[in-house]
C-alpha cells in the first residue's frame, strides 16, 4: 500500500450552519465543493454511512425519539415501508401519527440516511449523477 499525505479534512458544526440558515444535510463548504467539481465536469463521490430514509424520528414538540422495545436503541425510519425498523433485531413498528408522550403531531424524520439523501440529490440535481450502495 502506497503511503502519502492524508487528505485535507474540515470539521463543520452543522448546528452553526443551521443558525446561519443552512437547512441542508451538507455544510456550505462541502456543497460549494460539490458544485464546483460538477461545474468542472469532475466526479464527486460521497460515503454516507447511514441506512434508511432517516436515522431516527423525533417529536419536534417534546423531543421524544421512538426506541426499540427489545434493544433500547432509536428506530430508523424507512419511507418505502412507512415503518420504523431496528437495525439490531429487525423489529418493525409503524411511524406514530401522534407522540405518545405529549400527544403532539410533529413527529419528523431527522438526520438523513442514504435513501433520504438520494431523494434530495435527485430533487436538487435532476439528471446528474448516479448513486450506488448496498443495504436498506
Amino acid at each position: 500500500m502506497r503511503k502519502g499525505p492524508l487528505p485535507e479534512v474540515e470539521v463543520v458544526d452543522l448546528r452553526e450552519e443551521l443558525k446561519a440558515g443552512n437547512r441542508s444535510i451538507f455544510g456550505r463548504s462541502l456543497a460549494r465543493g460539490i458544485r464546483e467539481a460538477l461545474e468542472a465536469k469532475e466526479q464527486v463521490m460521497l460515503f454516507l454511512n447511514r441506512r434508511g430514509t432517516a436515522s431516527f424520528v423525533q417529536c419536534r414538540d417534546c423531543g421524544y425519539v421512538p426506541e426499540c422495545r427489545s434493544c433500547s436503541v432509536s428506530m430508523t425510519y424507512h419511507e418505502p415501508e412507512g415503518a420504523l425498523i431496528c437495525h439490531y433485531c429487525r423489529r418493525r413498528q409503524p411511524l406514530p401519527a401522534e407522540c405518545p408522550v405529549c400527544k403532539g403531531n410533529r413527529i419528523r424524520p431527522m438526520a438523513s440516511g442514504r435513501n433520504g439523501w438520494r431523494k434530495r440529490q435527485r430533487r436538487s440535481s435532476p439528471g446528474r449523477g448516479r448513486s450506488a450502495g448496498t443495504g436498506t
Side-chain angles (χ1 to χ4, degrees):
M1 185 158 94
R2 186 177 163 191
K3 296 196 184 235
L6 293 174
E8 185 179 324
V9 175
E10 178 183 353
V11 178
V12 175
D13 187 339
L14 292 178
R15 294 171 298 188
E16 294 301 319
E17 293 282 319
L18 186 59
K19 286 179 190 174
N22 179 13
R23 300 207 179 283
S24 169
I25 63 170
F26 300 126
R28 289 171 291 184
S29 60
L30 177 59
R32 183 175 42 256
I34 291 170
R35 189 172 46 254
E36 289 170 359
L38 294 175
E39 287 170 358
K41 306 289 189 220
E42 297 173 342
Q43 294 183 11
V44 174
M45 184 180 295
L46 299 171
F47 295 96
L48 184 60
N49 189 23
R50 291 184 180 155
R51 297 182 297 166
T53 303
S55 57
F56 66 98
V57 296
Q58 181 178 44
C59 175
R60 298 300 290 248
D61 294 323
C62 73
Y64 166 77
V65 175
E67 291 184 347
C68 176
R69 291 188 310 249
S70 300
C71 304
S72 298
V73 298
S74 61
M75 306 283 282
T76 301
Y77 178 57
H78 287 258
E79 187 176 43
E81 294 94 337
L84 298 171
I85 301 174
C86 175
H87 284 177
Y88 288 88
C89 72
R90 307 304 293 164
R91 178 182 292 275
R92 302 168 79 89
Q93 66 186 52
L95 179 66
E98 178 181 271
C99 176
V101 174
C102 73
K103 306 300 181 207
N105 63 355
R106 294 182 353 127
I107 295 182
R108 302 285 187 265
M110 308 294 285
S112 193
R114 279 194 307 251
N115 295 344
W117 181 82
R118 285 181 185 137
K119 190 176 183 179
R120 282 186 182 89
Q121 188 264 343
R122 282 192 297 268
R123 218 176 23 235
S124 66
S125 302
R128 262 215 183 146
R130 299 179 190 145
S131 60
T134 58
T136 45

